[in-house]
Amino acid sequence: MRARRSTLAAVAAGVLLLTSACGQAGSSGGSTSTSTSSAAALTTCAPVAGDKLVVLEDDKGLQTVDNIVPAINSKAIAGDSTIIPLLDAVSATLDTKTLIGLNKSVDVDRQTSTQVAKAFLAAKGLAAQDSVGNGKKIVVGAANFSESATLAAIYAGVLKSAGYDATTQTIGARDTYEPPLEQGKLTIVPEYAGTLTEFLNKKENGADAKPLASSDLDATMKELTTLGTKVGLSFGTPAAAQDVNSFAVTTAFADKYKVKTLSELATTCGGLVLGGPPECPDRPFCEPGLKKTYHLQITDFTSLDAGGPLTKTAIKEGKVALGLVFSSDAALAG
């Protein structure tokens, strides 16, 4: 999980999504599930330098879903039939490619989240047709990173268009903003389905609770809804957009070896060099998961960072073939 989002999940730091971060320097792929004979038959795919990155599809569902979803204080919307449909209309326009573009506008093009939100709402025609909010006060909370701030500004903007007195407030980490959301001091927060499920799971059922989030969005949302009911939270419809741990190569690498998915990579390439954060070889959703789920032949690991500039630079410079990134990272913009 990215550094900026790991602070959001302090309680869930050891849970599913955080465990998907990676690495320990000097690890090797000697204990893969691939047989020696089949591994030996694979071509050694050396890293290929390039300016652009592409995420390989996690076609076997190694990672837990983390779709964007509006989390709402239930009492604040009691008797209000407008707020959730407005937020759902936003969710319907958000896929991961769109989220990458929003992040690029802020993180690369240096626009403000407010500017980006205003342009997005106009471009998608999301302004409400009726002014029904009657000045009702809505506080949209945001975590302390740009993606969350932009999503909060979009939520607030669409609610303002319907006549609500909607403002945004940046709070910080999840363990800081989630209690005010339960208490109604915050009305809405843009959340991540899998991460919030595990946060509430640990909060309600203890640090050793069995994980409830999975690679199945419907099942994860069912668990999240049940947990939310216990603490007074409701949820809108999750967007297709995800901010989830992913594995990327350069587009030059993908083109050379003709791979689009992790399964294709596993059947095409051996001798892979993986890059990521230091805990990767010990985390089930990183190197061990790649080996167990996909039988990837990873022969070397380079300790870098969690989806940050070190990993992305190492991939682009051809120092590692495959690296852990985040699915909505601005660096993935076409």
Side-chain angles (χ1 to χ4, degrees), residues 251-269:
T251 54
F253 180 100
D255 291 343
K256 178 176 180 178
Y257 297 109
K258 296 180 174 56
V259 294
K260 294 183 178 180
T261 69
L262 288 170
S263 289
E264 290 174 348
L265 181 67
T267 57
T268 302
C269 290

Side-chain angles (χ1 to χ4, degrees), residues 1 7 28-30 50 58 72 77 82 105 145 147 167 171 185 213 229 243 282 288 303:
M1 169 170 301
T7 59
S28 71
D58 178 17
I72 311 155
I77 61 167
T82 303
S105 294
F145 60 97
E147 180 175 286
T167 57
I171 303 294
K185 295 176 182 178
T229 299
D243 186 354
D282 301 320
S303 180

